[in-house]
Amino acid sequence: FVFTEMRIDNIYSTVSMDNPGSQRVVQKLGMKKTRLLKDHKESYGRTMSLLIYEKDRQSYLKEKKS
């Protein structure tokens, strides 16, 4: 829907490096790890490293044709 109806080019997900369960979810959705933001976000007084996952419309449409 996001890629076909809304015609959005990219979607992103930010996941804590300490959360392997969430990492598996976005990987199962076909998202690819594109960046590591080391010591980036402060939550409840602590700094966290975040992983950025991305899925783009081109690769989604290519997968759908296969």
Side-chain angles (χ1 to χ4, degrees):
F1 179 81
V2 170
F3 294 123
T4 56
E5 300 297 319
M6 297 177 70
R7 305 208 34 95
I8 291 176
D9 290 325
N10 295 295
I11 56 173
Y12 300 91
S13 179
T14 306
V15 180
S16 170
M17 200 166 161
D18 298 332
N19 192 337
S22 292
Q23 291 174 42
R24 281 192 299 275
V25 169
V26 295
Q27 289 167 358
K28 284 183 179 182
L29 291 171
M31 299 182 86
K32 303 292 181 201
K33 190 178 351 177
T34 58
R35 267 180 269 162
L36 167 63
L37 303 176
K38 198 161 179 76
D39 300 328
H40 180 70
K41 185 177 182 181
E42 195 167 313
S43 179
Y44 300 104
R46 99 182 163 122
T47 301
M48 297 169 50
S49 293
L50 300 174
L51 297 168
I52 306 297
Y53 286 82
E54 179 180 355
K55 180 89 174 184
D56 64 86
R57 182 161 41 106
Q58 295 257 44
S59 63
Y60 170 79
L61 294 174
K62 192 177 190 181
E63 289 170 9
K64 284 300 204 186
K65 287 183 180 181
S66 301

